[in-house]
Amino acid sequence: MDLIEKTISQEEIFKGKIITLRRDTVSLPNGSEATREVVEHPGGVAVVAVNDDGEVYMVRQFRYPFGEVIMEIPAGKLDAGEDPFACCVRELEEETGLSAQKYDYLGKFMVSPGFCREWIHIYLARELSVGDAHLDPDEFLEVEKIPMDTLMDMVMHNELQDGKTVIGILKANEFMKRS
């Protein structure tokens, strides 16, 4: 069975600073038509930065859509045409002041493929050097170090709910065990 939906038309509904929303009309595999709403996003990176003591650098920040402060791994949005690795290095330094001698690419994932075209690339950063953070003028966060084992417990007890953080912690932990 052919599962592909073919685009008939596209209409831009909203274009913002970060996202674009469009409404597409598609032809379904059975010949019927349907409407699809799609959020276009440039994508981003997230970094699991682990020091020599097995502690992970985490950031706490207020996330407006949920109205709460959450703990997450450092992350940021890709600029247009930006290489994900370059974004990784930039965001780690901006948010935490850290630089790393060793980076491992842990893969990418679709954030919410039912309606959003956002990919997040995950990196593991090790052999860290500490410097000064350089936050954006509208960025407010706190950095803390938490042992990987504690974070794994937090993931398994649903105390960390940010998708990129959960995926990053799980992948980094397994990667380090296997290497």
Side-chain angles (χ1 to χ4, degrees), residues 23 32 35 40 50 56 61 69 85 100 107 113 117 123 135 137 146 163 171 177 179:
R23 181 176 24 233
S32 300
T35 301
E40 293 282 354
V50 183
V56 180
Q61 61 185 322
V69 174
F85 178 69
R117 288 187 46 88
Y123 290 87
L135 299 175
I146 299 177
K171 290 190 91 165
K177 283 181 180 177
S179 55

Side-chain angles (χ1 to χ4, degrees), residues 59-62 94-96 133 135 139-143:
V59 297
R60 287 188 188 273
Q61 61 185 322
F62 182 77
E94 282 181 5
E95 291 191 0
T96 66
L135 299 175
E139 195 170 34
F140 303 90
L141 53 85
E142 296 174 347
V143 179

Side-chain angles (χ1 to χ4, degrees), residues 3-177:
L3 300 176
I4 305 298
E5 297 179 3
K6 296 174 180 59
T7 305
I8 296 170
S9 65
Q10 295 181 332
E11 174 190 9
E12 188 176 282
I13 304 298
F14 172 80
K15 186 168 183 69
K17 191 169 104 175
I18 298 173
I19 64 163
T20 299
L21 171 63
R22 68 172 207 259
R23 181 176 24 233
D24 294 359
T25 302
V26 299
S27 174
L28 300 175
N30 67 2
S32 300
E33 289 186 5
T35 301
R36 301 288 184 245
E37 294 172 344
V38 179
V39 174
E40 293 282 354
H41 186 282
V45 301
V47 188
V48 182
V50 183
N51 67 18
D52 293 339
D53 295 326
E55 298 169 315
V56 180
Y57 284 79
M58 302 291 288
V59 297
R60 287 188 188 273
Q61 61 185 322
F62 182 77
R63 290 302 196 176
Y64 183 82
F66 288 93
E68 60 186 84
V69 174
I70 66 169
M71 184 167 35
E72 57 192 285
I73 57 179
K77 180 180 73 61
L78 284 162
D79 292 332
E82 184 177 21
D83 175 69
F85 178 69
C87 183
C88 161
V89 172
R90 174 177 52 82
E91 286 295 332
L92 182 62
E93 192 269 334
E94 282 181 5
E95 291 191 0
T96 66
L98 296 170
S99 59
Q101 290 299 308
K102 186 174 184 180
Y103 291 92
D104 293 291
Y105 183 65
L106 301 180
K108 64 182 181 176
F109 69 94
M110 299 170 183
V111 174
S112 188
F115 71 92
C116 186
R117 288 187 46 88
E118 179 183 7
W119 287 96
I120 293 183
H121 301 264
I122 305 281
Y123 290 87
L124 172 62
R126 293 180 283 179
E127 299 177 19
L128 305 174
S129 299
V130 179
D132 295 323
H134 304 283
L135 299 175
D136 293 333
D138 62 348
E139 195 170 34
F140 303 90
L141 53 85
E142 296 174 347
V143 179
E144 62 186 276
K145 296 180 283 186
I146 299 177
M148 178 63 86
D149 289 343
T150 301
L151 291 171
M152 286 297 295
D153 288 341
M154 293 173 75
V155 166
M156 298 312 294
H157 291 101
N158 203 35
E159 295 170 24
L160 294 174
Q161 297 176 324
D162 170 56
K164 70 184 175 304
T165 298
V166 170
I167 291 169
I169 295 299
L170 291 173
K171 290 190 91 165
N173 187 62
E174 188 64 22
F175 181 88
M176 290 188 301
K177 283 181 180 177

